[in-house]
Amino acid sequence: MHRRILLLGCLAAAAAASAAQGQPAPVVTLFGDSIVAGYGLAPADGLARQLELALAALGVSAVVRNAGVPGDPSPGGLARLNASVRRDTAVCVVEFGGNDRRLGLPQAMTHDSLDGIVRQLVARGVSVIVAENGGLGRMQRDIAEANGAIFYPNLFAGVGPGLRQPDGVHPNAAGERIIAQALAPVVAEALRARR
């Protein structure tokens, strides 16, 4: 009797493992401006593909989707949120701020837009990572903490002048790899926490 129960248990575990293997890889969406869009780079060199590779190197299978729009400030992101971040997204990296400062938007507008983005994603059950950009670290940290999201400080850490394109702003292919490799463990942990 015990052998039969043990055998049934083993068969059930094997079936569960097989079913798990058949599940599609979770989706990570990069939602932001030109930085996550891979401005000036071939798709293979952009952040989405580089993050996918960095996650794979950590043993994490995921589909990383590019939802970046060059030049987009946070109010634009809020307006296109539902169209850009699809319902199958498990983890969303939210990266806005640089264009808000470039355009001189009031900080209150930036705050409300970022807060609206994060709040809506969390309400949808998405795990959110707020990436610091545009010198708005304190605001972005406060928004993340208020909504139970993850704050990721200094998206550009380690990406000096030699790792940027001629405009001095956008990362080159090597710079995107550095960002991806630093971001990958945080994204991987967010994915594991959902299991």
Side-chain angles (χ1 to χ4, degrees), residues 15-25:
S18 177
Q21 289 174 355
Q23 291 178 351

Side-chain angles (χ1 to χ4, degrees), residues 29 40-41 46 64 75 83 86 99 142 147 154 167 171 185:
T29 298
L41 300 173
V64 181
R86 296 186 216 163
N99 290 305
D142 290 347
N147 290 285
N154 196 1
D167 62 13

Side-chain angles (χ1 to χ4, degrees), residues 24-189:
V27 173
V28 176
T29 298
L30 302 179
F31 184 50
D33 55 31
S34 57
I35 305 305
V36 298
Y39 174 84
L41 300 173
D45 293 325
L47 186 57
R49 181 58 180 153
Q50 291 305 314
L51 181 57
E52 212 168 70
L53 293 172
L55 287 168
L58 296 176
V60 177
S61 176
V63 173
V64 181
R65 191 176 288 150
N66 179 350
V69 172
D72 206 12
S74 60
L78 179 60
R80 67 181 175 89
L81 173 62
N82 289 327
S84 295
V85 183
R86 296 186 216 163
R87 292 285 166 178
D88 59 353
T89 296
V91 173
C92 185
V93 178
V94 175
E95 175 274 323
F96 288 98
N99 290 305
D100 292 59
R101 291 195 68 182
R102 180 179 61 82
L103 296 170
L105 298 185
Q107 282 212 2
M109 180 183 290
T110 298
H111 177 279
D112 290 349
S113 299
L114 286 173
D115 184 66
I117 290 168
V118 176
R119 191 166 16 89
Q120 288 185 43
L121 288 171
V122 169
R124 280 169 45 178
V126 177
S127 299
V128 179
I129 299 168
V130 179
E132 180 184 359
N133 187 16
L136 302 172
R138 173 171 283 183
M139 177 194 296
Q140 290 160 329
R141 180 189 297 276
D142 290 347
I143 289 169
E145 290 177 354
N147 290 285
I150 299 162
F151 175 68
Y152 182 79
N154 196 1
L155 186 66
F156 280 88
V159 184
L163 294 167
R164 302 197 187 202
Q165 296 180 45
D167 62 13
V169 175
H170 297 91
N172 60 24
E176 291 279 46
R177 279 194 294 276
I178 287 175
I179 292 173
Q181 288 165 4
L183 185 58
V186 180
V187 174
E189 183 56 35

